[in-house]
Amino acid sequence: MNRPVHHLQNPPFPVEDNCLNIGGMPLTLLAEQITGTPFYAYDSHLITERVARLRAALPPDIHLHYAIKANPMPAVVRHFAGLVDGFDVASEGELKVALDTPMQPAGISFAGPGKSDRELRDAAIAGIVVSVESEHEVERLARLAAPLGLRPKVVVRVNPDFELRSSGMQMGGRASQFGVDAERVPALLACMPELPLEFYGFHIFCGSQNLRAESLMEAQRNTFDLARRLAAHAPGPVKLLNLGGGFGIPYFPGEQPLDLEAVGTHLAGLMPDARRDFPEARFVLELGRYLVGEAGIYVCRVLERKFSRDQLFLITDGGLHHHLAASGNFGQVIRKNYPVIVGNRVVPESAAALASVVGPLCTPLDLLADKMELGHACEGDLIVVLQSGAYGLTASPTAFLSHPAPAEIFL
Ligand SMILES: *Cc1c(COP(=O)(O)O)cnc(C)c1O
């Protein structure tokens, strides 16, 4: 048999009889049940294993939060409720999903640059932590909480004066709609004692999808230093220090997985000083895609195998309306291929020809794989996009062209 034709080094799903298995089920069987294709499937065991791996690598007093926007499927969030220490939500809808699990409200925090009055009020009533992102938002929250006799817990989200470097970019503060500029935080903290708010700590999130351990280590060091400087102006002890996250997963050819052990060891080295300087603090890492991204796949079926001027197109029943990120239109500057395989014919019988996987939409943007070694796929075969557990369905324009939404299966 030939080599498998994807670029991911160690896909987490076993292959039996040349068919991908997920949650102990052969993909072909899964595609027959429930609603057929297209669908997303998420493997609960992989999520559980991922959290265990993080716990083993990180210092014991680091709390793990799940950022719900990565994958808000209620079954997924409920599964996380038994595994992590808290949730980060960023909308009323996510708050509802979070409150509908056994997670304690004190473990839930609400961030986002544009919270409505209703969201602020409901957050205060629910007793969750509000991550405030502007001076005006602090005033609004205080005004809404006072008549209810509430004193919401508040962490100040800081727009840091450093960056999470990913590819040799220079450090330096940037303008941002997120958080309060670090240099303005002391003045904001000075106003807080008069307001019906409980100062609870800081939230410093400085980047996402980072695969370089050294960049994350540097950012964590800078985060503690910034928190120390700001804490000197705080009206009370820091009870919660949210250190952000930013742990990435490999998607594209040539990307290496994050060296989690290196990040954990480095963080353990920072903890003695942190515990001394913030004796009452809970230290939190908030992660989304690192927790759930590798546990999910997107599956669609080949409808047409079509040649055009010697190029092979596999036309499927799924596409960018379900999985915008795999099409390259969710933040990528240069389009690159996600790891894509033929799920029921993982290893081709002979060298596979190049094929492009496209969807049914009437736009050339609807491209799931550009000239990958998938030419052995036949009509009826199952195309699988790996690394699809995060920022998949809910980050996609499902209404575009009015096709039905895909199913989601939690196994
Ligand atoms: C989106 C977001 C996260 C999660 O980011 P991932 O890259 O999925 O880990 C965490 N914290 C905040 C504040 C976010 O906006």
Side-chain angles (χ1 to χ4, degrees):
M1 287 232 273
N2 237 294
R3 67 190 174 85
V5 292
H6 54 79
H7 55 257
L8 196 67
Q9 285 170 338
N10 297 304
F13 305 98
V15 175
E16 275 169 38
D17 297 332
N18 213 13
C19 181
L20 198 75
N21 271 240
I22 173 161
M25 289 263 285
L27 192 65
T28 40
L29 210 57
L30 202 57
E32 291 303 321
Q33 72 165 31
I34 314 183
T35 51
T37 56
F39 63 92
Y40 278 91
Y42 314 116
D43 185 328
S44 61
H45 292 100
L46 290 178
I47 292 173
T48 305
E49 270 173 36
R50 178 50 62 106
V51 174
R53 212 188 132 207
L54 274 158
R55 299 268 193 212
L58 296 171
D61 48 355
I62 290 287
H63 290 236
L64 279 180
H65 281 200
Y66 175 55
I68 288 183
K69 81 168 186 281
N71 187 329
M73 185 190 185
V76 169
V77 178
R78 234 173 282 130
H79 184 66
F80 271 116
L83 296 173
V84 298
D85 309 299
F87 289 141
D88 292 327
V89 303
S91 71
E92 181 94 46
E94 289 186 359
L95 177 57
K96 285 210 173 85
V97 172
L99 290 173
D100 202 17
T101 71
M103 182 62 70
Q104 294 302 310
I108 301 173
S109 61
F110 192 153
K115 303 180 200 74
S116 68
D117 279 3
R118 185 185 156 158
E119 287 176 322
L120 290 171
R121 197 170 163 273
D122 287 356
I125 291 169
I128 66 168
V129 177
V130 182
S131 182
V132 292
E133 308 224 10
S134 76
E135 291 89 347
H136 182 237
E137 190 180 65
V138 173
E139 285 166 28
R140 280 201 295 143
L141 179 60
R143 178 161 42 74
L144 293 159
L148 298 168
L150 297 169
R151 225 169 145 253
K153 296 182 176 67
V154 160
V155 295
V156 177
R157 180 161 179 190
V158 183
N159 175 24
D161 46 12
F162 59 88
E163 272 186 359
L164 173 54
R165 289 197 299 170
S166 57
S167 47
M169 273 187 303
Q170 281 303 109
M171 290 194 344
R174 279 203 202 179
S176 168
Q177 74 266 51
F178 305 112
V180 180
D181 293 343
E183 57 277 17
R184 274 159 53 177
V185 171
L188 175 63
L189 293 171
C191 303
M192 273 200 182
E194 291 120 57
L195 300 172
L197 304 171
E198 181 185 351
F199 169 77
Y200 214 60
F202 298 109
H203 177 197
I204 305 176
F205 176 82
C206 55
S208 210
Q209 178 50 20
N210 205 297
L211 291 169
R212 287 188 41 193
E214 315 80 62
S215 304
L216 290 167
M217 296 178 199
E218 178 185 286
Q220 287 170 353
R221 226 176 17 248
N222 288 334
T223 299
F224 279 120
D225 287 345
L226 176 57
R228 276 188 194 94
R229 276 184 274 134
L230 296 176
H233 304 270
V238 172
K239 305 243 178 78
L240 177 65
L241 183 53
N242 185 330
L243 304 163
F247 296 17
I249 61 171
Y251 289 102
F252 306 122
E255 287 187 340
Q256 302 295 320
L258 173 67
D259 185 350
L260 178 65
E261 281 64 34
V263 175
T265 304
H266 179 262
L267 190 54
L270 299 175
M271 291 311 289
D273 283 354
R275 287 178 203 121
R276 183 199 60 213
D277 295 338
F278 305 102
E280 296 185 34
R282 209 160 74 203
F283 301 100
V284 168
L285 281 178
E286 50 173 0
L287 301 172
R289 96 178 65 226
Y290 194 80
L291 292 174
V292 74
E294 304 199 313
I297 58 175
Y298 173 65
V299 184
C300 54
R301 202 183 279 283
V302 178
L303 301 174
E304 294 273 343
R305 202 170 181 280
K306 176 173 180 175
F307 280 94
S308 167
R309 307 213 159 106
D310 291 337
Q311 200 184 317
L312 175 57
F313 291 90
L314 301 169
I315 303 176
T316 68
D317 58 5
L320 82 71
H321 54 316
H322 299 161
H323 200 332
L324 187 67
S327 79
N329 293 291
F330 188 65
Q332 292 94 320
V333 180
I334 300 166
R335 191 194 176 282
K336 294 181 192 140
N337 286 321
Y338 264 51
V340 176
I341 62 176
V342 184
N344 59 314
R345 219 186 286 270
V346 176
V347 181
E349 276 113 46
S350 56
L354 297 184
S356 293
V357 178
V358 302
L361 305 190
C362 302
T363 163
L365 296 178
D366 192 8
L367 178 63
L368 293 178
D370 185 25
K371 300 188 195 75
M372 289 179 75
E373 292 171 56
L374 301 167
H376 59 297
C378 305
E379 278 163 31
D381 278 355
L382 298 168
I383 299 292
V384 174
V385 183
L386 300 164
Q387 308 294 79
S388 297
Y391 306 108
L393 179 57
T394 60
S396 300
T398 47
F400 188 38
L401 270 114
S402 306
H403 286 280
E408 286 184 294
I409 307 169
F410 182 69
L411 291 155

